[in-house]
Amino acid sequence: METLGAGPGRFEFNVDFTGAAGLDPAAGMKANSLVIAADAAAPHQVRVHYTGQPGTQSASFELIATGNGLAEFALDTNNGKIDFGLTAYELNRGDGSPLMPVASNWYLADTGLSNAADVILDTASTIPLDWNTALDSLHLRMGEVRAENLPATRHPTPAASSGNLWVRSRAYRMNATNSVTGRGFDQYGGGLTAGMDKLFPAGTAASLLGAFIDMGSISRDFDRRGDNTSNSVTLGAYLTRLHDDGWFADAVVRAGRYINKIDARTPDLRSIQGRYTSRALGGSIEAGRRLRRAGGWWLEPALQASLLWLSGDSFETSPESLRLHVAQDSLRSAQYRALLRFGRQSAGGKWNPYGRLGAAAVDSDGGTLHAHDKHLSPSYDGKRVEFGFGASYRINDSSQWHADYEYATARHYQRPWSLNLGYRRLW
């Protein structure tokens, strides 16, 4: 073709992806091509009819060669891509690279990750964040224990009482951007934690021993790229050591599993589904001191560390025409946190408000995803800052309720709200 006019047009190409590797030029045998010798202008749509599956190496097809490069071309798929496994092919102008060498020409090239890759990666990489969010229900419960057992503010309790039954519900939203794909998604999480514990006083100190069960659910929305869910059940135990001078130490152990369901959508709106289970084991420790001041005010600096081990697994996606074998390595994730809590608690008062500031660092190892000859290591490691506030209300000597709000932000995600509501009753 000598020239391409200023009006928009539509072009259709046949491409055979079978065993594709490296650059297939315009004179190649695996794809139709269009050569415009002189001027080309205006935006145009391109539809690709394809057969076969590409090889494991990166590949590109030179579909359009132009004389001046003024025209714009775009695939007419849902998001301008064609997906194969974890790989996405896009129509791009040449950039001087080995796969797209001529700046005025247009190439169908392996330049990114598919929608399936996006959905699978963010299923695995966000579980450590949810694990630590669920642990906060335990940390809040142990904060209640410290508040209830300060010598200056202890409330009288029924003589027959020997322990506590408690329950806490949580919900949060997280807006995140994947560090590997650069694409965003929304995550909503929630859960319920119930436990029982008993206090063992001993002179100027006391120990609290308890057990709990937690059930949680995560829902992730990737817009047109798909969605997925993770449901968890965990069991655990905790121990608190509290001294009358305010020093304290807490420890939590926890074990359970996450059942993950994946539903990704290709650019032509075909569904890719998968399911796998991850076993989880971990715990946390915290130490600090509650400093009491006049008028019921208190200040509590603390340091906290938690560790999670998440088992690896492998699974295959369906349907058969879109089958993809995925294997994931086991993951170790550690979180280190510094907190400053403050509030006011007066003897005989029913309301006990508080606030907190914190900074955390997350460090992960492992969790590499293997599929379609790609090896990807997603994570949401890095530093995070957070603040929150809440209050407890003593209904009577036997029962109490609690409410808590937190905001957190990090490099790759933001949690604009996290809510925690709880109730405790002596028994």
Side-chain angles (χ1 to χ4, degrees):
M1 179 182 291
E2 183 66 23
T3 63
L4 185 62
R10 178 186 177 90
F11 299 90
E12 298 193 14
F13 295 81
N14 296 309
V15 176
D16 180 7
F17 281 97
T18 304
L23 171 63
D24 187 79
M29 302 299 293
K30 286 183 172 292
N32 299 141
S33 62
L34 172 65
V35 178
I36 304 166
D39 294 338
H44 305 275
Q45 284 193 326
V46 172
R47 168 160 289 189
V48 173
H49 304 279
Y50 60 89
T51 59
Q53 293 280 334
T56 58
Q57 301 180 38
S58 294
S60 69
F61 301 85
E62 185 182 285
L63 297 187
I64 304 166
T66 69
N68 58 22
L70 296 179
E72 296 287 333
F73 298 89
L75 289 178
D76 67 348
T77 59
N78 188 10
N79 62 353
K81 298 181 180 182
I82 299 173
D83 284 0
F84 290 102
L86 299 188
T87 300
Y89 278 76
E90 300 177 84
L91 186 63
N92 289 317
R93 191 191 300 273
D95 59 6
S97 67
L99 287 179
M100 301 186 294
V102 182
S104 61
N105 295 349
W106 289 80
Y107 300 84
L108 184 64
D110 168 6
T111 56
L113 295 176
S114 67
N115 292 350
D118 211 15
V119 175
I120 294 171
L121 286 171
D122 285 318
T123 302
S125 58
T126 57
I127 287 179
L129 300 179
D130 181 79
W131 172 273
N132 285 304
T133 300
L135 271 178
D136 281 344
S137 291
L138 274 298
H139 298 140
L140 290 169
R141 168 60 192 146
M142 290 181 281
E144 297 163 14
V145 173
R146 295 191 291 274
E148 293 165 1
N149 289 275
L150 289 174
T153 58
R154 286 184 184 134
H155 296 294
T157 58
S161 297
S162 59
N164 298 275
L165 295 173
W166 59 271
V167 62
R168 278 190 171 270
S169 62
R170 66 182 181 276
Y172 69 88
R173 172 176 175 167
M174 184 175 75
N175 309 319
T177 301
N178 189 292
S179 60
V180 175
T181 66
R183 286 175 278 187
F185 66 97
D186 296 326
Q187 174 171 304
Y188 295 88
L192 186 71
T193 310
M196 58 188 303
D197 50 47
K198 183 175 181 180
L199 189 70
F200 299 91
T204 60
S207 297
L208 183 92
L209 181 63
F212 66 93
I213 181 172
D214 180 271
M215 293 173 288
S217 179
I218 310 170
S219 175
R220 305 175 186 88
D221 180 9
F222 298 86
D223 197 19
R224 294 183 177 181
R225 290 165 286 148
D227 53 63
N228 62 40
T229 60
S230 297
N231 296 308
S232 64
V233 177
T234 59
L235 299 172
Y238 55 96
L239 173 67
T240 293
R241 180 71 174 174
L242 176 65
H243 288 263
D244 282 353
D245 61 2
W247 287 101
F248 68 89
D250 304 327
V252 180
V253 292
R254 184 179 174 214
R257 65 177 186 171
Y258 284 82
I259 300 174
N260 307 292
K261 297 180 180 179
I262 294 165
D263 187 0
R265 287 184 287 276
T266 65
D268 54 1
L269 301 181
R270 291 181 295 170
S271 178
I272 300 175
Q273 297 180 337
R275 173 182 170 138
Y276 70 98
T277 299
S278 299
R279 300 185 308 277
L281 176 66
S284 71
I285 55 173
E286 181 178 6
R289 187 180 186 186
R290 179 165 291 207
L291 305 171
R292 297 183 293 273
R293 295 293 181 261
W297 291 96
W298 55 268
L299 189 69
E300 186 182 271
L303 294 175
Q304 186 186 104
S306 65
L307 183 65
L308 165 66
W309 174 82
L310 201 65
S311 70
D313 200 1
S314 62
F315 64 96
E316 291 189 344
T317 62
S318 61
E320 181 69 31
S321 60
L322 297 172
R323 181 165 298 237
L324 179 66
H325 181 77
V326 182
Q328 184 180 3
D329 296 341
S330 60
L331 168 73
R332 178 204 59 82
S333 179
Q335 176 179 275
Y336 311 97
R337 199 178 189 186
L339 292 165
L340 179 63
R341 306 180 182 98
F342 53 91
R344 187 172 186 269
Q345 183 174 8
S346 58
K350 289 183 175 293
W351 285 98
N352 299 299
Y354 62 87
R356 68 177 179 276
L357 303 171
V362 178
D363 177 50
S364 300
D365 180 54
T368 300
L369 200 71
H370 309 274
H372 200 231
D373 204 42
K374 290 185 180 292
H375 311 282
L376 306 171
S377 298
S379 76
Y380 285 88
D381 290 358
K383 297 178 176 61
R384 181 180 76 240
V385 294
E386 56 196 29
F387 70 84
F389 57 85
S392 64
Y393 178 77
R394 186 167 58 89
I395 302 170
N396 52 47
D397 290 342
S398 298
S399 57
Q400 193 174 45
W401 69 261
H402 311 265
D404 185 89
Y405 164 84
E406 183 181 83
Y407 168 89
T409 184
R411 179 181 178 184
H412 294 295
Y413 66 91
Q414 181 186 68
R415 201 165 58 222
W417 54 266
S418 178
L419 303 176
N420 200 297
L421 300 176
Y423 175 79
R424 183 270 295 162
R425 184 171 181 83
L426 294 172
W427 56 276

